[in-house]
């Protein structure tokens, strides 16, 4: 995304406008967890044993024998022979070390009510709910589905599952009933924890009704637990087969549940994400590698300390919330914040009010949120004392330099470093970002890959911040930008991101689908014969003169709407399911706040040509029903034809350009070039 993609107009001083690089203040560097620039070299020289540094942040029931087992690549295994429990690491050990009364979770509901769980409280409730889950029949390795919004019972249920060795599969609360059913069926899940409802902009939403509708599409007999979030606001829907969370916890109050020792490679959770095909992918993360990686990156990149109040504004229904609201921060024993509602309720200063009230140290959010803040104006942050902030972060999509600088000035008061962290559901944790406290010159040479070696010697010359560019790969991570042949591109050139060595937080496979795992991530650039495995994240990027990586966005059929990852094929299959629609193409078009927005181009069937309004309504409904409001199309355009190549392939690129209002370029290779102007006129006419 470049600076001229029509983002909200904001004033920036000329001085900031011109400044290209930024360094962290000395005061930050002095107190940082990781500030020694040698960390890059140390990781490179000791790879893969360098990852012991991550594993050392955890408490192991059984020490591991091997850091990396690569005999069956790309089915890598990490910390093999080791045993541990994630809930023990996130709770018990902090309590044992005297942090019983430290706040673990500080929660604020949208209506303003607050709850604080100390580490002691959290452990008690997790144990009670773990005991209840066991009583319901949950056994080790049973997948428990959690379909809840941002309420404390969500992380409690996650940790209760982890305690008894039952992998959780969290389904984002904004997803539809159908999406819930698809995920439960795919994971063969027999347990669901959900809630009656939650608040959005002051309204109580009925969530249980959606869950019930989803359950009608689930093949298994399901045991359901319902959290009473709304009290008397709505009748507390329980239904005949559901259990009340509050009652279960009260019945098991004071229970002591021994944390189950899990093998490092045992599954901690499943997380469904969108890919190129219509079917969501069940990304499998493990106990040892994932927890070590999220703890390490929380420590090194987010500079999390036990005495901090740390806030990541993501929803726990996505990977960012798993890794950087729940597991990473709690493994480090810090105070992690959760907010239930929207940032503009009751007013547009809600987040800044929370920062001020809770004296938040670190604030981690998405560029789409920053673009909204910019649009709303500086008066909202200016109403509040944000001086407690020490570090800022972004994740989820590229951040344009203007938004970066606005964030730096108006939220960080030019005192807080910003980490722009590139990673994915599949990577488990951050992969490409500057380390916030390292700003010394590095004498490393930028050279070619070592002969036969897995690591390259392209050390960043300096680890300063460059707005718009995520930065160098983290120590120990061999991310590159390559051309179609897999050769590294030259400075200034664009190509594709690859990761040329494994890392502990990586996904291990797609749930019960090893074949698709290889196909999706390990075929494009790997050399199977030579047993050389290269991970392909399907992102485009540019490599800068100083080896910084600027991410350009997805190169597959995944779009990024407000930091949410959506598969265009999933949306397409919903639309073509509508009676009267013959064919459809879904693409992402530029949007000044959302980053990208969903555009649908559809061909009506014979006899439906004059019924656009009716088809539009049905198509809209189909998308909401199959995915949810996050996928709501910005525009649905009806056309007698879609632009196609002579071989009959839809020219999606062209449709993207139309949606974004960009130049259309050469259309002469199309079978039906005349249709392009017709479609473009329709979009522009709206
Ligand atoms: C995009 C979210 C640019 C990227 C953690 C990736 C980013 C996809 C950044 C993964 C960033 C994430 N700069 N793009 N800092 N971080 N992305 O799985 O396209 O929801 O492939 O994980 O988000 O989305 P996911």
């Amino acid at each position: 995304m470049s600076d001229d993609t029509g983002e909200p107009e904001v004033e920036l001083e000329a001085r900031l406008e011109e400044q290209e690089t930024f360094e962290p203040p000395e005061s930050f560097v002095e107190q940082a967890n990781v500030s020694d620039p040698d960390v890059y070299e140390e990781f490179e020289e000791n790879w893969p044993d360098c990852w012991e540094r991550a594993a050392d942040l955890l408490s192991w029931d059984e020490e591991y024998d091997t850091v990396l087992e690569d005999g069956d690549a790309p089915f890598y295994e990490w910390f093999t022979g080791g045993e541990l429990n994630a809930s023990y690491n996130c709770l018990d050990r902090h309590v044992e070390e005297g942090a019983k009364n430290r706040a673990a979770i500080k929660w604020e509901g949208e209506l303003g009510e607050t709850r604080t769980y100390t580490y002691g409280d959290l452990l008690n409730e997790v144990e009670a709910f773990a005991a209840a889950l066991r009583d319901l029949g949950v056994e080790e390795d049973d997948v428990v589905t959690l379909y809840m919004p941002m309420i404390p019972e969500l992380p409690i249920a996650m940790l209760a599952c982890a305690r008894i060795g039952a992998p959780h599969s969290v389904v984002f609360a904004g997803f539809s009933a159908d999406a819930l059913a698809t995920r439960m069926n795919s994971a063969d899940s027999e347990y669901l924890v959900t809630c009656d409802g939650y608040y959005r902009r002051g309204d109580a939403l009925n969530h249980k009704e959606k869950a019930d509708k989803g359950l009608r599409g689930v093949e298994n007999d399901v045991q359901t637990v319902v959290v009473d979030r709304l009290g008397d606001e709505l009748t507390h829907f329980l239904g005949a087969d559901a259990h009340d969370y509050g009652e279960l916890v009260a019945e098991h109050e004071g229970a002591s549940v021994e944390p189950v020792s899990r093998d490092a490679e045992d599954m901690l959770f499943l997380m469904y994400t969108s890919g190129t095909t219509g079917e969501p992918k069940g990304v499998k993360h493990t106990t040892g590698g994932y927890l070590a990686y999220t703890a390490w990156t929380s420590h090194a990149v987010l500079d999390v300390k036990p005495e901090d109040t740390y806030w990541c504004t993501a929803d726990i229904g996505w990977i960012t919330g798993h890794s950087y609201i729940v597991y990473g921060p709690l493994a480090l024993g810090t105070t992690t914040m959760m907010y239930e509602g929207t940032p503009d309720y009751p007013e547009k200063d809600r987040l800044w009010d929370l920062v001020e009230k809770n004296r938040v140290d670190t604030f981690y959010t998405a560029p789409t949120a920053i673009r909204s803040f910019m649009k709303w104006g500086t008066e909202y942050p200016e109403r509040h004392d944000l001086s407690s902030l020490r570090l800022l972060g972004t994740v989820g999509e590229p951040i344009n330099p203007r938004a970066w600088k606005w964030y730096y000035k108006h939220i960080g008061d030019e005192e807080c470093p910003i980490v722009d962290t590139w990673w994915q559901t599949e990577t488990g944790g951050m992969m490409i970002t500057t380390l916030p406290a390292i700003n010394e010159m590095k004498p490393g040479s930028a050279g070619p890959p070592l002969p036969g070696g897995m690591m390259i010697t392209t050390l960043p010359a300096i680890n300063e911040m460059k707005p718009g560019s995520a930065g160098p790969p983290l120590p120990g991570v061999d991310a590159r930008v390559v051309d179609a042949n897999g050769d590294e591109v030259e400075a200034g050139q664009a190509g594709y991101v690859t990761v040329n060595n494994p890392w502990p937080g990586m996904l291990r496979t797609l749930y019960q689908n090893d074949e698709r795992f290889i196909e999706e991530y390990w075929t494009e650039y790997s050399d199977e014969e030579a047993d050389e495995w290269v991970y392909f994240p399907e992102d485009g990027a540019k490599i800068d003169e100083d080896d910084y990586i600027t991410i350009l966005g997805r190169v597959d059929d995944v779009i990024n709407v407000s930091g949410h990852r959506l598969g265009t094929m999933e949306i397409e299959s919903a639309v073509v399911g509508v009676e009267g629609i013959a064919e459809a193409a879904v693409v992402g078009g530029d949007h000044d706040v959302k980053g990208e927005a969903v555009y649908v181009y559809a061909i009506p069937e014979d006899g439906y040509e004059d019924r656009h309004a009716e088809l539009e309504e049905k198509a809209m409904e189909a998308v909401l029903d199959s995915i949810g409001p996050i996928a709501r199309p910005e525009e649905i355009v009806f056309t007698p034809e879609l632009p196609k190549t002579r071989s009959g392939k839809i020219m999606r690129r062209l449709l993207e350009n139309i949606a974004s209002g960009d130049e259309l370029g050469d259309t002469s290779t199309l079978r039906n070039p005349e249709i392009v102007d017709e479609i473009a006129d329709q979009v522009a006419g709206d």
Side-chain angles (χ1 to χ4, degrees):
M1 187 180 297
S2 71
D3 234 346
D4 50 7
T5 46
E7 84 252 14
E9 283 292 319
V10 282
E11 291 287 321
L12 274 177
E13 298 158 39
R15 171 182 59 85
L16 266 181
E17 195 88 66
E18 277 162 25
Q19 192 172 342
E20 284 180 4
T21 59
F22 295 78
E23 288 181 15
E26 212 33 58
S27 54
F28 181 86
V29 177
E30 275 164 13
Q31 59 79 58
N33 289 338
V34 176
S35 57
D36 180 357
D38 290 342
V39 63
Y40 285 94
E41 221 162 270
E42 281 166 18
F43 268 67
E44 189 174 331
E45 281 168 6
N46 296 320
W47 198 92
D49 291 343
C50 54
W51 290 112
E52 290 189 25
R53 196 155 157 185
D56 283 349
L57 293 170
L58 305 180
S59 302
W60 296 79
D61 301 339
E62 190 71 51
E63 272 303 309
Y64 50 87
D65 320 306
T66 315
V67 172
L68 170 65
E69 190 64 71
D70 60 1
D72 188 23
F75 297 95
Y76 295 97
E77 296 184 342
W78 287 89
F79 311 120
T80 51
E83 289 180 14
L84 76 168
N85 180 282
S87 100
Y88 176 83
N89 272 277
C90 291
L91 301 170
D92 308 56
R93 62 169 180 157
H94 306 312
V95 171
E96 285 162 17
E97 282 161 16
K100 183 167 171 251
N101 297 323
R102 184 188 303 146
I105 295 178
K106 274 191 171 179
W107 175 83
E108 186 159 319
E110 204 189 61
L111 304 184
E113 69 273 52
T114 58
R115 277 196 247 166
T116 298
Y117 290 79
T118 64
Y119 273 93
D121 299 334
L122 198 59
L123 175 58
N124 288 342
E125 192 155 330
V126 165
E127 285 198 274
F129 192 53
L133 286 175
R134 267 207 183 137
D135 271 3
L136 292 179
V138 178
E139 291 180 6
E140 206 174 334
D141 294 319
D142 286 347
V143 176
V144 178
T145 303
L146 310 178
Y147 184 46
M148 277 188 271
M150 289 292 283
I151 55 177
E153 288 80 0
L154 175 53
I156 289 169
M158 290 163 79
L159 293 167
C161 288
R163 194 162 191 90
I164 58 174
H168 51 73
S169 166
V170 178
V171 177
F172 174 59
F175 274 139
S176 67
D178 284 1
L180 170 68
T182 310
R183 285 157 180 74
M184 286 194 75
N185 286 329
S186 162
D188 194 21
S189 180
E190 299 179 324
Y191 301 94
L192 173 68
V193 187
T194 185
C195 68
D196 56 350
Y198 56 104
Y199 293 99
R200 267 296 169 281
R201 297 210 160 83
D203 293 331
L205 302 189
N206 187 339
H207 189 61
K208 176 68 177 12
E209 198 172 70
K210 216 165 61 164
D212 282 343
K213 188 169 166 220
L215 281 173
R216 290 199 279 279
V218 176
E219 289 143 21
N220 286 329
D221 279 339
V222 176
Q223 301 242 38
T224 306
V225 178
V226 185
V227 175
D228 180 4
R229 158 73 189 110
L230 298 178
D232 297 335
E233 180 89 36
L234 284 175
T235 342
H236 180 42
F237 309 90
L238 213 48
D241 332 315
H243 308 268
D244 181 85
Y245 174 92
E247 279 174 22
L248 289 181
V249 166
E251 275 166 32
H252 295 85
E253 170 101 60
S256 160
V257 176
E258 211 32 42
V260 172
S261 269
R262 296 282 280 169
D263 191 279
E265 280 296 308
D266 279 342
M267 171 155 61
L268 178 62
F269 67 87
L270 265 181
M271 164 122 265
Y272 282 89
T273 188
S274 296
T276 303
T277 70
E279 219 169 287
K281 308 187 274 195
V283 169
K284 174 183 163 181
H285 281 293
T286 58
T287 312
Y290 172 83
L291 199 62
Y293 199 72
T294 50
W296 161 251
T297 44
S298 298
H299 171 82
V301 182
L302 296 172
D303 200 47
V304 165
K305 301 183 172 64
E307 59 276 15
D308 282 354
T309 298
Y310 159 87
W311 189 15
C312 164
T313 67
D315 190 293
I316 295 176
W318 306 95
I319 193 70
T320 305
H322 277 52
S323 301
Y324 299 113
I325 296 177
V326 183
Y327 286 111
L330 292 179
L332 297 180
T334 195
T335 301
T336 185
M337 295 241 315
M338 281 177 73
Y339 169 57
E340 176 186 41
T342 45
D344 54 353
Y345 187 85
E347 281 200 69
K348 296 186 174 76
D349 66 341
R350 185 66 185 268
L351 303 191
W352 316 127
D353 178 53
L354 278 156
V355 168
E356 177 173 6
K357 264 195 331 220
N358 294 284
R359 306 293 300 155
V360 171
D361 295 88
T362 297
F363 183 78
Y364 189 33
T365 196
T368 183
I370 298 168
R371 291 191 297 266
S372 294
F373 305 150
M374 287 163 73
K375 210 170 169 178
W376 296 340
T378 54
E379 59 176 288
Y380 298 101
E382 276 163 9
R383 285 185 195 169
H384 296 277
D385 173 8
L386 306 181
S387 64
S388 59
L389 291 170
R390 175 174 94 236
L391 174 66
L392 303 174
T394 73
V395 56
E397 45 171 334
I399 181 164
N400 42 312
R402 187 171 284 270
W404 193 103
K405 289 177 183 180
W406 189 93
Y407 193 34
Y408 185 72
K409 177 164 175 61
H410 296 289
I411 307 304
D413 195 25
E414 305 190 40
E415 290 288 328
C416 301
I418 296 179
V419 282
D420 172 0
T421 61
W422 176 87
W423 58 290
Q424 308 180 296
T425 304
E426 292 88 342
T427 69
M430 301 159 177
M431 301 289 280
I432 301 175
T433 170
T434 52
L435 282 171
I438 296 180
N439 66 341
E440 285 179 44
M441 294 297 288
K442 278 293 301 165
S445 71
L450 296 170
M454 294 191 86
M455 302 294 292
I456 44 169
T457 54
T458 46
L459 295 179
I462 187 169
N463 212 343
E464 62 198 357
M465 297 166 270
K466 258 190 0 188
S469 169
L474 279 173
V477 172
D478 183 3
R480 307 180 186 183
V481 181
V482 303
D483 60 20
N485 299 319
D487 297 322
E488 281 184 71
V489 300
E490 290 185 13
Q493 301 293 307
Y496 305 97
V497 182
T498 58
V499 187
N500 294 48
N501 59 12
W503 65 100
M506 68 198 300
L507 80 165
R508 296 305 192 268
T509 191
L510 293 177
Y511 191 56
Q512 292 177 338
N513 204 341
D514 289 346
E515 223 167 278
R516 190 170 172 202
F517 169 67
I518 303 258
E519 212 173 281
E520 295 262 357
Y521 307 106
W522 304 95
T523 40
E524 203 78 26
Y525 290 105
S526 300
D527 180 348
E528 199 174 336
E529 308 262 290
D531 199 26
E532 274 171 22
W533 297 96
V534 174
Y535 173 79
F536 181 47
E538 311 224 40
D539 264 18
K542 192 166 77 58
I543 190 97
D544 306 344
E545 303 292 336
D546 46 18
D547 289 328
Y548 270 38
I549 295 173
T550 298
I551 304 290
L552 300 171
R554 302 286 304 195
V555 294
D556 57 1
D557 294 323
V558 168
I559 57 176
N560 197 326
V561 179
S562 299
H564 298 318
R565 179 168 157 182
L566 298 175
T568 52
M569 294 300 158
E570 286 169 66
I571 306 174
E572 251 172 59
S573 67
V575 174
V576 295
V578 170
E579 196 191 316
I581 292 185
E583 199 180 346
V586 171
V587 300
D590 292 343
H591 187 280
D592 64 0
V593 173
K594 298 178 185 171
E596 282 184 287
V598 177
Y599 281 81
V600 178
Y601 300 87
I603 306 180
E605 271 171 19
D606 290 348
Y608 283 87
E609 295 89 344
D610 300 326
R611 296 158 69 178
H612 290 181
E614 174 194 336
L615 287 183
E616 181 172 344
E617 196 177 308
K618 283 193 179 151
M620 196 63 89
E621 215 176 273
V623 173
L624 299 187
D625 280 352
S626 88
I627 301 158
I630 43 166
R632 184 191 300 278
E634 189 75 13
E635 226 179 301
I636 301 178
V637 179
F638 291 98
T639 167
E641 283 175 53
L642 290 167
K644 288 191 177 161
T645 61
R646 287 186 206 284
S647 60
K649 273 178 73 173
I650 299 173
M651 283 279 278
R652 288 169 190 283
R653 180 68 50 193
L654 208 58
L655 293 172
E656 278 167 24
N657 289 347
I658 294 175
S660 304
D662 292 344
E663 292 278 317
L664 298 183
D666 183 16
T667 55
S668 62
T669 56
L670 289 179
R671 184 199 283 172
N672 50 355
E674 66 292 343
I675 198 69
V676 176
D677 287 334
E678 206 176 302
I679 299 177
D681 285 349
Q682 266 201 64
V683 174
D686 270 295

